[in-house]
Amino acid sequence: VALAGHDGRLIIWDVSDDTAVKIQELSCDEKSSIFALDGLGSSLAIGSFDRSSRFFSMSERQQSFERRPVTAFAKHTGWVRDVKFWRSPIPDTKLPGSFLMSIGCNFINVISIRRNSTVYLGALDAGPSPSDREDFRRHDILRIAVSPQGNLVFAGLVDGSIRAFRGNWQSWLNGGCADPTDEPIASAQAHSGRVTGLHVFDSAPNSLQIVTCSFDGFWRLWALKTTGFMLVKESCIRVQTDDDERILSSSLLPPPSGDQSERRLAIGTSRGRLIISSLKTGNNSVFYEAVETASPRSSIGIACIDCQKAEVSANENQETAQRTRGHARILFVDNSGVARVIKSPI
């Protein structure tokens, strides 16, 4: 597990069992807070307060992470709030290596990574807000996600809106992100507060669904149609209408037994609660709550480490099978800098 923080450190932990052992610490820049972190295979990327993104890869000889040089390109115009790796799920010589996307203000930078070298391909522009088509002010992007097949790229913005772009990876490799098709193909005003979580998964063959979470306390499930985004389901984590609890972090959990319709969402809130939500029913269940202290605990980070399935014998009834189908290990980080590994049933 990799953890990064406002102290500019990137720490690698071994959490193979119920204990955590620190195996490496990288000092990136003590004067620059780290806001974003993502990993793919033996690669790690971070986004920082200094408006830059950095790339690390595992040294096969030393079995430790080393910082790799990034080909010089213009920094973002704002803090790098999210970074995301993508690699073609099928071996494809036309799309070698992997890609890294980073965001700062209204632009998504697209970077090609091959053999530990990087090439800046260009940027995607979020464009005007759908809530006011006459307003051409740019709005900060806070979250990005890529569809499993890579044909679509999604962005969640500070004004609560979402965008969809085509994943023109081959075109970007050939000539950069300058084609008119690189503008958003769909947009929607998804929330009344900033988008704090954005997840994409295949609910069925040729059926893509998008999950958005927001500061407004709602999570929403969307489908992307030819006419744009269509709302499928929504749910609010707040118990009372005057409640101000906010969704600060989220992670999509693996489906039990491979059934995509049973997907669950792990949510971290401004009150330090871990909520497990069913995307099928819309039900929200509080699974964990940080111990109250003099200063309230907020969940600033959530990630699913792994999923362990329970074996069910043939003579167990369906109700028992539902209770024992396994659990997920969830990394829960609060604003005091404490990280916990919590087991949640799936």
Side-chain angles (χ1 to χ4, degrees):
V1 169
L3 290 172
H6 287 289
D7 57 6
R9 294 187 302 161
L10 175 62
I11 302 177
I12 315 299
W13 298 86
D14 182 351
V15 292
S16 302
D17 50 30
D18 290 334
T19 60
V21 179
K22 184 166 71 172
I23 58 177
Q24 188 179 4
E25 180 176 328
L26 297 166
S27 181
C28 303
D29 187 348
E30 62 182 13
K31 296 181 180 179
S32 184
S33 299
I34 300 174
F35 289 136
L37 172 66
D38 194 32
L40 177 65
S42 60
S43 299
L44 287 171
I46 61 172
S48 304
F49 174 81
D50 65 2
R51 305 180 179 183
S52 70
S53 55
R54 295 178 176 87
F55 167 58
F56 302 82
S57 66
M58 178 73 77
S59 167
E60 295 183 2
R61 180 171 56 86
Q62 298 181 355
Q63 286 298 296
S64 60
F65 283 96
E66 296 179 352
R67 180 173 173 178
R68 303 296 182 180
V70 176
T71 301
F73 58 90
K75 287 187 176 182
H76 284 289
T77 55
W79 308 341
V80 178
R81 292 289 192 176
D82 202 5
V83 290
K84 197 70 62 180
F85 281 108
W86 181 79
R87 179 186 295 159
S88 176
I90 57 176
D92 190 345
T93 56
K94 295 181 180 179
L95 291 176
S98 57
F99 297 86
L100 174 65
M101 313 191 84
S102 64
I103 55 174
C105 286
N106 57 300
F107 288 105
I108 303 174
N109 280 344
V110 182
I111 302 165
S112 171
I113 301 175
R114 190 179 183 186
R115 298 189 182 96
N116 292 329
S117 64
T118 61
V119 178
Y120 171 65
L121 302 180
L124 307 180
D125 190 347
S129 172
S131 61
D132 186 353
R133 299 303 302 178
E134 299 302 319
D135 181 4
F136 283 87
R137 291 175 303 169
R138 299 312 194 224
H139 297 272
D140 289 0
I141 304 171
L142 300 181
R143 294 289 181 267
I144 48 177
V146 184
S147 64
Q149 299 302 317
N151 59 317
L152 292 166
V153 177
F154 297 90
L157 280 69
V158 70
D159 68 348
S161 63
I162 53 177
R163 309 279 198 277
F165 300 85
R166 289 190 179 92
N168 295 321
W169 307 100
Q170 188 61 62
S171 174
W172 297 339
L173 279 173
N174 294 337
C177 309
D179 193 280
T181 57
D182 293 329
E183 297 176 354
I185 60 172
S187 59
Q189 193 64 41
H191 295 275
S192 61
R194 65 181 61 188
V195 176
T196 58
L198 184 61
H199 314 279
V200 185
F201 67 99
D202 289 322
S203 58
N206 301 317
S207 181
L208 190 73
Q209 290 195 317
I210 305 101
V211 183
T212 59
C213 301
S214 173
F215 226 49
D216 62 12
F218 280 86
W219 63 259
R220 292 189 169 101
L221 183 64
W222 306 83
L224 184 60
K225 304 294 184 181
T226 55
T227 55
F229 288 97
M230 182 186 74
L231 182 62
V232 177
K233 188 177 290 294
E234 68 175 5
S235 183
C236 184
I237 65 165
R238 297 172 178 173
V239 179
Q240 299 176 346
T241 55
D242 60 348
D243 194 355
D244 63 351
E245 189 169 15
R246 306 178 186 277
I247 298 177
L248 300 184
S249 56
S250 58
S251 179
L252 197 61
L253 302 181
S257 305
D259 185 355
Q260 297 291 340
S261 67
E262 295 291 339
R263 280 277 194 175
R264 285 172 167 76
L265 185 68
I267 291 173
T269 77
S270 56
R271 292 186 179 175
R273 299 198 301 168
L274 170 61
I275 295 176
I276 306 298
S277 302
S278 168
L279 300 184
K280 182 178 182 179
T281 65
N283 292 336
N284 303 308
S285 302
V286 178
F287 186 75
Y288 170 82
E289 189 163 359
V291 177
E292 287 293 334
T293 59
S295 59
R297 292 284 183 255
S298 296
S299 169
I300 59 172
I302 277 187
C304 180
I305 299 174
D306 55 24
C307 180
Q308 299 178 5
K309 296 179 181 179
E311 296 183 2
V312 180
S313 60
N315 60 356
E316 286 186 292
N317 58 37
Q318 185 176 3
E319 181 180 356
T320 303
Q322 289 294 317
R323 291 199 306 266
T324 59
R325 55 188 171 183
H327 67 266
R329 291 198 303 162
I330 299 172
L331 184 68
F332 184 91
V333 185
D334 66 31
N335 59 346
S336 69
V338 175
R340 298 174 176 86
V341 177
I342 301 171
K343 291 184 178 180
S344 167
I346 58 172

